[in-house]
Structures are given as C-alpha cells and as structure tokens.
Amino acid sequence: MKKFVIFFSLILIGGASSPVRAEEKAQEQPSKNAVLEAAAEIMKGLDEPSKRHFSVMYGNYNLIQVVETVRESVELAVEACGEANPDLKEPLETRFDEWKAAVKPVMEEADANVGNMILAQDYAKPKDLKKFFKLVDKTRREKEKEIDKVPVTSQEGCQTLLENMEATQPEMIRLLNTTLVSLPMVMRQQEEAEKAKAEEQAVEKAEQEDEDSSDEE
C-alpha cells in the first residue's frame, strides 16, 4: 500500500496547497483513466463555448474535492495529535472548529455554483453530468484507498499543524472563491462568442449579397 505521511508544511498538489507530504511516490499505472475517457466522451462534438463551460465546471468540481481532501487530512491529523499530545488537544480542536466554520459556507456556495453550471447548459443532460461527477468521486475514493495516511504526532509536528491552519484556512477559501466567479465569466464568454459569430455571419451574408448584385449587373 502506498504510504503518505501527513506533515504540516504546505506543498502544491494539483495546483492547491495541502498539508500532506509524500513519503513514497505513487507508481504510475499503465491503466486507462475512466474519468478522462468519460470527459472526452462528453466533450466530443461540442462547440468551443460548450467545451469551455464543461472544462471550467469540471475544474471547479476538482478544486472543491481538493479542499475536501485537505479538510479530511487536517481532521485526521488533529485527532491523532490530540491523542498523542493532550496539552495540544483543546487548542487544536478549537482552531480546527474555527477552520471548518470559515470554510464550510464557501464550500456550500461553491457546490451550489457547480449545480447552477449543470443547469445553465444545454449540451448534456443534467443526469449525465451528475453521473460523470459520481464517477469522479468514485475514482477519488478508490485512489484514497491506496494511500496509508500516517499522521506525524510529535510535539513539534503538531505545533506546526496548529500554526499552519492559519495559512491553509485563507488558502482554501481563496481556492473556493475562484469557483464562484467562473460561471458569470463563462456565460459572458459564450455570449461574446455567439455575438461575434452572428456579426461574422451578417458580414458574410452582406458580402455575398453584394457579389450577387454585381453579377446581375
């Protein structure tokens, strides 16, 4: 089983900060990626605005899952540190409660925004998109089963955990907030693309009419 040590310094994983340090890197498996195949199937035949909409929606969903993974890791670490260091149990739990209270409403808003994005499109059935995201969740859970998360419970490590919650809280909120501005931006891009296409078609039609008139003369 692949092992990961939960350590309380920040590293970048998939573009997001996480309080996890790899003790042993996962081996690349030559198996097919069902999620990527399903995403490619949804995007097949879509126009550019629709592809952009789906890509942003998928990216937003993944960011939300990154934040949830960080929350789960921090929770595991807080519990382990509290058991190993009774003097840190109360400050850790109090700080983590504050961390969760700050992140939760933004997480809920981000989730709702993805739901709105599912409804604000016409290139796929909502039930098919929800089925796709269930596949994403299933794949993530299967990957997590391959990871043995071992909390660092030394006094120094747990103190670092407490201090780093000051950094991870605003970072998680910042990541979630990036998903909240995406839908209006995508819709505006779609409108601009459609407007530009309509104007281009109008110009082509006018030019063709001019050519036809010249030929008649």
Side-chain angles (χ1 to χ4, degrees):
M1 180 179 288
K2 305 177 183 69
K3 288 187 176 181
F4 280 70
V5 175
I6 298 180
F7 193 73
F8 313 114
S9 59
L10 300 179
I11 63 172
L12 293 180
I13 294 182
S17 296
S18 171
V20 177
R21 183 182 64 187
E23 181 183 77
E24 180 179 313
K25 291 184 178 180
Q27 295 292 322
E28 289 291 334
Q29 300 296 326
S31 57
K32 293 183 178 180
N33 191 315
V35 171
L36 291 181
E37 290 180 352
E41 183 65 24
I42 291 173
M43 296 181 72
K44 184 168 61 177
L46 298 186
D47 57 20
E48 286 306 314
S50 297
K51 287 181 180 179
R52 188 162 55 245
H53 183 281
F54 176 75
S55 296
V56 171
M57 180 172 58
Y58 181 22
N60 286 356
Y61 190 83
N62 278 332
L63 273 180
I64 294 170
Q65 299 311 307
V66 167
V67 174
E68 176 60 20
T69 297
V70 171
R71 187 201 63 77
E72 292 171 354
S73 296
V74 174
E75 183 173 26
L76 175 65
V78 167
E79 291 176 358
C81 279
E83 293 177 2
N85 303 274
D87 59 317
L88 288 175
K89 181 178 177 64
E90 183 177 350
L92 278 169
E93 290 180 348
T94 298
R95 185 64 188 86
F96 185 48
D97 285 343
E98 295 171 353
W99 193 99
K100 289 187 294 183
V103 172
K104 183 180 178 180
V106 193
M107 174 78 84
E108 292 175 346
E109 191 174 359
D111 274 327
N113 189 54
V114 170
N116 289 335
M117 292 189 79
I118 291 175
L119 297 176
Q121 53 80 38
D122 58 5
Y123 53 80
K125 295 180 180 178
K127 67 176 183 179
D128 290 338
L129 292 176
K130 291 176 181 178
K131 182 179 178 181
F132 169 73
F133 288 129
K134 285 183 179 179
L135 174 63
V136 173
D137 291 341
K138 179 183 177 182
T139 302
R140 182 174 69 95
R141 288 194 297 268
E142 290 174 349
K143 291 295 182 182
E144 287 178 348
K145 289 178 182 178
E146 300 175 1
I147 300 172
D148 184 15
K149 293 182 177 180
V150 184
V152 173
T153 57
S154 65
Q155 181 81 15
E156 180 181 0
C158 292
Q159 184 63 43
T160 303
L161 165 64
L162 182 60
E163 294 169 359
N164 274 357
M165 275 193 273
E166 294 292 333
T168 56
Q169 177 182 316
E171 176 64 10
M172 296 303 99
I173 292 174
R174 183 192 67 79
L175 285 175
L176 291 171
N177 277 332
T178 64
T179 73
L180 300 179
V181 299
S182 298
L183 179 58
M185 182 173 62
V186 169
M187 299 307 293
R188 184 170 63 251
Q189 289 175 337
Q190 285 185 321
E191 290 174 359
E192 291 174 351
E194 291 172 358
K195 182 179 179 181
K197 184 177 181 180
E199 291 176 349
E200 182 180 351
Q201 290 176 339
V203 170
E204 291 177 352
K205 183 179 180 180
E207 291 176 346
Q208 184 63 48
E209 289 176 350
D210 288 344
E211 291 179 3
D212 292 343
S213 297
S214 298
D215 292 341
E216 291 176 0
E217 292 177 359

